[in-house]
Amino acid sequence: MNSKKANWAFLITIIVYIAFSFAMTIYFPWVTESLFLGNFLVEVVMILPILIFIFASKEKPAAFLGFHKIKPGSIFMIALFTLLSMPLITLLNIFSQIWVDNEVTLMIDSMGMDQLPFWLLYLSLGIIAPVFEEIICRGGYYRSYKKSGGPFKAMLLSAIIFAVMHMNFNQAAYAFAIGILAVLLVETTGSLWSSIIYHGLINGSQAVIMYVNLQADSEIYKESASLITGNFLIYAIGIYLILTAMTLPLAWAVLIWLSQHEGRSGVLSCIWKERKTKKDKMVTIPYIAALILCISVMTGAFGWLIGQILMH
């Protein structure tokens, strides 16, 4: 499977997602009010097109997606890498809130997450979402783009897809960074399992924090989130800038250790050296069209247009 097929899969995925979301909102609103069911169905809608294209390309799914074994010691270092990358992720999350709302807070308000059992919350956010999304982005899309034009461009294009597929600017800001870091893990370990573990640790830790706060007092949690001021965000950005400057070099050192531990020394420098590799044309009309659709949803333009159509 190459970049052209991946771009068509991306466009079809977004069209199907928009149609699905519209149908659920109009005909099955109770589905959108359920965090677990809503998230699960969205993940299924997102993963089906890329899997169909992979099978249609006569690829062996496990081998193409990169499900290779990793050494036990690497798991501990992936956990350490996750911890060291959290300041950057948090920084981008806070920075985006200067212009847009915190989508997780809005999700808590709209989906009644304080009533959801912990195991169901963790299953949805900490297991299902990481497995499905890594298969989609670091598996299907990244591998396809890498096949057509090298790892550097593939990393950027797949990270953009991962960002916009969240369909909001808040999550897109730090999802892009996660997409870059997850690809670096995949390359240093040679396995998709590393990015699944990484993604799972990020989402799982957030699910735990969210649940603990909500159980302590859901109303206080919601109110405190809504009282975040511009000055608070500026101070928080300053603090996390310092933390990020301290932890990112350490995270890079962990990546180097992982590459050596997994027998892939020099792979990180190869990603940079191969950034000018030219093979197939990677960004095509379907990719651009899918991005426009995503941004239309994120800005609310698509919803406004549908509203005008329904009013007439």
Side-chain angles (χ1 to χ4, degrees):
M1 182 164 156
N2 56 25
S3 60
K4 292 181 180 179
K5 292 180 180 179
N7 290 343
W8 277 109
F10 179 31
L11 178 58
I12 291 170
T13 297
I14 300 307
I15 292 173
V16 172
Y17 167 82
I18 292 173
F20 172 80
S21 300
F22 179 74
M24 291 300 101
T25 302
I26 300 299
Y27 301 108
F28 305 100
W30 55 272
V31 172
T32 61
E33 295 171 0
S34 168
L35 172 70
F36 178 80
L37 184 57
N39 280 1
F40 178 73
L41 290 177
V42 166
E43 297 291 352
V44 171
V45 166
M46 290 289 193
I47 202 172
L48 280 177
I50 195 72
L51 288 181
I52 291 172
F53 270 81
I54 290 173
F55 280 107
S57 300
K58 298 181 180 180
E59 301 278 2
K60 294 181 179 179
F64 178 77
L65 294 172
F67 280 109
H68 307 301
K69 293 180 180 180
I70 57 176
K71 296 179 180 179
S74 295
I75 297 175
F76 172 77
M77 297 305 285
I78 292 169
L80 178 59
F81 179 81
T82 305
L83 181 64
L84 292 171
S85 69
M86 285 307 297
L88 172 62
I89 295 168
T90 305
L91 172 64
L92 294 173
N93 182 17
I94 296 172
F95 188 75
S96 70
Q97 291 179 57
I98 294 177
W99 297 281
V100 296
D101 293 326
N102 187 314
E103 286 296 322
V104 174
T105 301
L106 296 178
M107 188 165 56
I108 291 172
D109 292 336
S110 63
M111 292 186 170
M113 290 174 63
D114 51 323
Q115 304 299 320
L116 198 66
F118 172 71
W119 71 270
L120 208 56
L121 177 65
Y122 192 90
L123 177 63
S124 177
L125 300 182
I127 298 177
I128 293 176
V131 171
F132 277 53
E133 290 171 13
E134 291 308 309
I135 289 174
I136 294 167
C137 293
R138 259 62 67 187
Y141 288 118
Y142 175 67
R143 298 280 179 175
S144 298
Y145 292 129
K146 182 181 177 182
K147 190 175 180 180
S148 293
F152 186 81
K153 293 177 182 177
M155 177 175 65
L156 294 179
L157 291 177
S158 61
I160 290 172
I161 289 177
F162 182 57
V164 298
M165 282 176 70
H166 284 80
M167 296 297 180
N168 65 79
F169 289 107
N170 171 233
Q171 289 178 295
Y174 55 86
F176 179 78
I178 292 173
I180 296 293
L181 296 173
V183 165
L184 295 177
L185 274 175
V186 168
E187 286 297 332
T188 54
T189 62
S191 175
L192 186 66
W193 287 116
S194 60
S195 66
I196 290 175
I197 294 170
Y198 174 63
H199 196 162
L201 288 172
I202 293 174
N203 281 22
S205 63
Q206 295 308 303
V208 171
I209 293 171
M210 196 184 302
Y211 184 80
V212 170
N213 286 330
L214 287 172
Q215 291 304 305
D217 194 324
S218 61
E219 290 304 317
I220 291 177
Y221 178 74
K222 295 173 186 176
E223 289 177 11
S224 63
S226 65
L227 292 175
I228 293 176
T229 63
N231 286 335
F232 175 85
L233 292 175
I234 292 172
Y235 290 135
I237 288 171
I239 292 171
Y240 276 97
L241 270 173
I242 296 171
L243 288 174
T244 300
M246 295 169 59
T247 56
L248 268 189
L250 296 175
W252 187 258
V254 171
L255 286 175
I256 294 173
W257 185 94
L258 278 169
S259 66
Q260 294 173 346
H261 185 64
E262 292 289 344
R264 296 174 62 83
S265 298
V267 69
L268 293 173
S269 60
C270 287
I271 293 174
W272 178 251
K273 290 176 182 177
E274 294 179 15
R275 69 189 185 280
K276 295 182 179 180
T277 300
K278 292 184 179 180
K279 294 182 182 178
D280 298 336
K281 185 178 181 181
M282 299 175 70
V283 177
T284 58
I285 292 176
Y287 187 92
I288 296 171
L291 282 183
I292 292 173
L293 284 175
C294 288
I295 294 172
S296 297
V297 172
M298 292 161 72
T299 58
F302 190 86
W304 177 84
L305 179 60
I306 293 297
Q308 294 298 311
I309 292 173
L310 291 176
M311 287 177 63
H312 292 83

